[in-house]
Amino acid sequence: MHAMTVALVLAMTGILLVPANAASAESVNLYSARKEALVRPLLDAFTEASGTEVRLVTAKGGQLHQRLLAEGENSPADVLLTVDAGNLWRAAEAGLLRAVNSAYLDATVPATYRDPDGRWYGLSLRARAVVYATERVSGTDLADHLDGYLELADPVWRGRVAVRSSNSIYNQSLIAAVIANYGPEVAERWAHGLVENFARPPSGGDRDQIRAVVSGEADLSIVNSYYYAVLLGSNEADWMAGTAIYFPADAQMGAHVNVSGAGVTRHAPHPDAALALIEFLASPEAQSLYAELNHEFPVHPDVAPSGVVAEWGSITTDDIPVVQFGRLNPDAVRIADRAGWN
Amino acid sequence: MSLLLVAPLLVVLFGAIDPATDLWPHLVDTVLAGYVVNTIGIAFGVAVGTAILGVGTAWLIAMCDFPGRSMFAWALILPLALPGYVAAIVYGDLLEFAGPVQTALRDGFGWGKADYWFPAVRSPLGAIAVLSLVLYPYVYLLVQTAFATQSATLIETGRLLGRGPLTIFRTLAIPLARPALAAGCALAVMETLNDIGVAELFGIGTFTTGIYRAWFGFGDVGAAARLATVLLLVVLAVLWAERRLRRSIRYHPENDRSRPVIRYALRGRRSALAILGCALPVGLGFALPAAVLVWWHVRAGAPVSSSIPSAWRLVPQC
């Protein structure tokens, strides 16, 4: 892009303004794509343990990315916290994150769930699962027609599958994982078949897909596991009776697991405090909070998931490193466009 | 100052002349036609929808007398205060398959999924309806003023010459209010073209959602700028159409002898119809969505006093 264009974008968006107190000592500045309600308890625990204050900016992932790009070396941000390996990979590719050396993180976070170059680390795990109506999808239907994700394109599911738009990075990463496991041709055919099976044009978020199954508009939905767990743990649990969760797996590919994660920004004013924050988020104390707050799977191997999640039993997971979802993202989005998955 | 206004356009144009990546041909092959059809279709639908709602209510307020008229005169502006995406959340939730309306229909009549037809709310037609309901006040405000002041003398002359209300509406009021109508519709269409919330929530691919996807999804600012340039051409076409609608006739603003028009006094059934004609746009464009928001908030167990920020929490989360 022209330097002139960049300069104009910067001037226009007016985000060169940096908080005057951004450089004070006992604090760390966090840009978070996760909602404050999910992040704040973790940050409070960190402040209590370390004495370091955390200043929080929340926005959508893409907006934080553009903001970091525009702020450049003047950015007050120390840590970028976001969901989906695709977003973390993009931030690393754009040079927004720095490599860190942390024996603790390398020992705690499995290699599958972090950047090989140490620029970001997964901090919680979520599976993209199938929530289905037990009345309309029998055990034999499942056994005969749904092992792995590929079979979601089986004609037996014609007009029965609810899933959100491919604008969602969750779906882009799922397509990327299918590409990584089966190759681009199979992924392309799969996407076309899946679109044929849609119960309705994609709209709404993951919760809306579960609603579609409960109401009878669809028989299967593709959603992140914690949405289902959160609903089960809420006062809407009765309303959810008649649904169950299934984690697709065949010989080639287990359940598609993605991360939420964080990295230290390239121009972090407080890199040490930033790393301390990320290490804290991977500690058993914070990992338990993650598990309870939003029913995600802990990334720390020794921390137990929440009660609701534990009831699902052990899950066969895909072993493709999540960094691949980022690398294959452009291919995945194009496949979605060609398949007519809006 | 004018540089500040033009800067964003320059950025877009500079971005668009960057060498094309291979994303652009991909977009042209796959999604571009859909963006064009959806964007222009929704813009046209909103122009028609806001014209009908805006002119109809403007005529009632400016030319007729009925109980509640002075209250409706300002209440009809309220939908402008409701962001389109908030209305889209409310109506999407109420009218979708799993929503209370269709659920009640199925329970009431014992229908199953295949037994009945119900228009899909999360569709281009749904977007037209929602956007028309929150944007018609642009037309209403401008046309109402035009009816009430500019054309008062001429309209009364028409009346003195024995023309009925319908003839006056068709042959005098509408032609005289044409500039105001064109300006109001143009404003509504501009708002529609830059809408992202409604299109995103209803899962409709438009230029604006496409720009977002190219920029934040593909990280391709050049392709986003090219899409934006096409969108700018649509905007220019709208402005051109608006000007053209005003050309060829000269409109003389009234001189200082102008005064409010004498209104038709409506009675009985006619006045009830007039009240209904004003209450529906206010109710559907503002009162019902606002009431639903408050209801959701109470249902969630929170005090009503804190219900304003809750609208943000309704936006689909990560």
Side-chain angles (χ1 to χ4, degrees):
Chain A
M1 196 166 60
H2 294 296
M4 169 113 186
T5 318
V6 177
L8 273 168
V9 169
L10 296 187
M12 257 172 59
T13 44
I15 42 190
L16 289 167
L17 303 169
V18 179
N21 55 358
S24 69
E26 290 298 305
S27 71
V28 57
N29 298 319
L30 172 64
Y31 280 12
S32 169
R34 310 206 71 185
K35 289 190 309 171
E36 180 162 6
L38 292 179
V39 175
R40 188 49 84 180
L42 293 159
L43 305 183
D44 289 346
F46 173 68
T47 302
E48 192 159 308
S50 66
T52 307
E53 293 291 328
V54 184
R55 295 210 192 84
L56 177 64
V57 171
T58 55
K60 290 201 165 186
Q63 292 162 351
L64 291 176
H65 183 103
Q66 295 300 332
R67 180 163 170 177
L68 282 169
L69 269 184
E71 288 173 342
E73 60 186 45
N74 295 314
S75 176
D78 294 302
V79 175
L80 173 67
L81 181 83
T82 189
V83 291
D84 206 285
N87 285 328
L88 290 160
W89 178 85
R90 263 179 218 161
E93 279 302 291
L96 299 176
L97 304 177
R98 66 167 79 181
V100 296
N101 274 314
S102 167
Y104 178 74
L105 287 176
D106 288 344
T108 308
V109 180
T112 315
Y113 302 128
R114 55 180 155 90
D115 178 36
D117 300 328
R119 291 169 297 181
W120 49 265
Y121 289 85
L123 294 170
S124 66
L125 309 177
R126 58 279 294 285
R128 200 135 180 84
V130 170
V131 168
Y132 64 97
T134 47
E135 207 174 81
R136 298 185 299 278
V137 180
S138 69
T140 42
D141 283 346
L142 271 189
D144 294 347
H145 300 289
L146 190 59
D147 299 327
Y149 294 93
L150 285 192
E151 286 189 287
L152 286 166
D154 188 314
V156 79
W157 305 120
R158 182 72 39 98
R160 300 170 73 183
V161 179
V163 66
R164 72 199 286 180
S165 162
S166 71
N167 281 340
S168 164
I169 189 133
Y170 300 153
N171 286 333
Q172 297 170 6
S173 288
L174 174 60
I175 298 170
V178 171
I179 299 173
N181 276 288
Y182 305 98
E185 289 83 15
V186 174
E188 177 109 31
R189 276 203 306 279
W190 170 73
H192 279 87
L194 182 61
V195 169
E196 291 280 299
N197 286 352
F198 284 174
R200 57 174 187 186
S203 67
D206 279 4
R207 278 164 207 264
D208 296 307
Q209 314 312 318
I210 298 176
R211 263 161 68 92
V213 167
V214 170
S215 68
E217 187 174 21
D219 296 340
L220 307 170
S221 61
I222 305 172
V223 296
N224 278 358
S225 51
Y226 54 87
Y227 285 103
Y228 190 66
V230 168
L231 283 172
L232 279 182
S234 74
N235 53 7
E236 301 199 61
D238 290 349
W239 168 81
M240 305 268 297
T243 63
I245 190 165
Y246 174 75
F247 296 92
D250 60 18
Q252 172 65 40
M253 178 182 174
H256 168 63
V257 172
N258 211 316
V259 299
S260 83
V264 180
T265 58
R266 162 157 299 182
H267 302 291
H270 319 101
D272 296 337
L275 185 55
L277 173 59
I278 296 176
E279 287 180 341
F280 175 80
L281 292 175
S283 71
E285 181 188 357
Q287 287 288 302
S288 297
L289 278 173
Y290 262 116
E292 296 302 329
L293 280 170
N294 200 35
H295 297 287
E296 288 173 79
F297 301 94
V299 76
H300 192 301
D302 301 335
V303 175
S306 71
V308 176
V309 172
E311 280 179 28
W312 297 339
S314 78
I315 293 159
T316 312
T317 56
D318 186 18
D319 49 13
I320 297 273
V322 295
V323 66
Q324 290 288 359
F325 308 157
R327 294 197 183 120
L328 293 169
N329 178 276
D331 298 336
V333 180
R334 285 168 194 230
I335 284 182
D337 279 343
R338 285 195 294 270
W341 184 346
N342 76 18
Chain B
M1 188 63 209
S2 58
L3 182 71
L4 271 179
L5 292 173
V6 175
L9 296 180
L10 290 180
V11 172
V12 166
L13 295 177
F14 270 117
I17 55 172
D18 274 343
T21 56
D22 65 335
L23 176 61
W24 181 248
H26 163 79
L27 293 177
V28 173
D29 283 348
T30 54
V31 290
L32 192 67
Y35 291 168
V36 171
V37 169
N38 286 336
T39 303
I40 292 180
I42 292 174
F44 181 77
V46 169
V48 173
T50 54
I52 292 171
L53 290 172
V55 171
T57 51
W59 177 259
L60 289 171
I61 296 296
M63 299 299 300
C64 305
D65 243 334
F66 52 93
R69 181 195 154 272
S70 56
M71 187 265 291
F72 281 123
W74 60 263
L76 280 163
I77 306 164
L78 287 175
L80 212 49
L82 190 74
Y85 74 91
V86 174
I89 291 171
V90 170
Y91 282 112
D93 221 82
L94 286 183
L95 300 178
E96 71 169 346
F97 184 87
V101 172
Q102 289 202 53
T103 304
L105 285 175
R106 284 194 302 274
D107 292 350
F109 295 98
W111 289 335
K113 180 182 171 184
D115 298 338
Y116 70 105
W117 178 87
F118 196 90
V121 59
R122 296 203 176 97
S123 65
L125 273 179
I128 290 171
V130 165
L131 286 166
S132 296
L133 279 172
V134 297
L135 295 176
Y136 79 83
Y138 283 123
V139 178
Y140 161 73
L141 277 171
L142 292 167
V143 173
Q144 199 259 76
T145 312
F147 281 161
T149 58
Q150 282 203 320
S151 41
T153 317
L154 272 167
I155 286 173
E156 283 177 14
T157 310
R159 261 197 223 173
L160 285 173
L161 292 172
R163 297 284 179 264
L166 274 181
T167 318
I168 290 176
F169 179 76
R170 204 165 41 82
T171 59
L172 278 175
I174 286 293
L176 283 166
R178 213 166 67 178
L181 175 58
C185 286
L187 281 171
V189 166
M190 297 295 179
E191 289 267 0
T192 302
L193 292 176
N194 77 30
D195 163 78
I196 186 161
V198 177
E200 190 71 44
L201 283 162
F202 284 1
I204 305 165
T206 63
F207 272 105
T208 310
T209 60
I211 290 165
Y212 200 87
R213 184 170 163 124
W215 191 354
F216 296 109
F218 286 108
D220 191 331
V221 181
R226 253 179 221 96
L227 287 171
T229 305
V230 181
L231 184 59
L232 278 173
L233 293 178
V234 178
V235 170
L236 287 178
V238 172
L239 286 175
W240 175 82
E242 193 261 348
R243 287 191 74 97
R244 218 191 128 88
L245 272 172
R246 277 192 300 185
R247 219 179 47 183
S248 78
I249 304 180
R250 290 171 162 253
Y251 298 94
H252 299 283
E254 292 274 309
N255 55 29
D256 55 1
R257 279 175 302 173
S258 75
R259 57 192 158 58
V261 69
I262 298 164
R263 296 189 285 264
Y264 298 105
L266 303 183
R267 307 214 187 294
R269 212 175 56 172
R270 288 188 167 199
S271 109
L273 281 176
I275 292 171
L276 187 69
C278 291
L280 272 181
V282 179
L284 295 177
F286 183 79
L288 176 69
V292 169
L293 286 180
V294 173
W295 172 52
W296 283 350
H297 206 66
V298 172
R299 195 181 54 179
V304 179
S305 57
S306 61
S307 67
I308 289 140
S310 77
W312 295 103
R313 254 171 273 142
L314 297 171
V315 175
Q317 52 194 331
C318 291

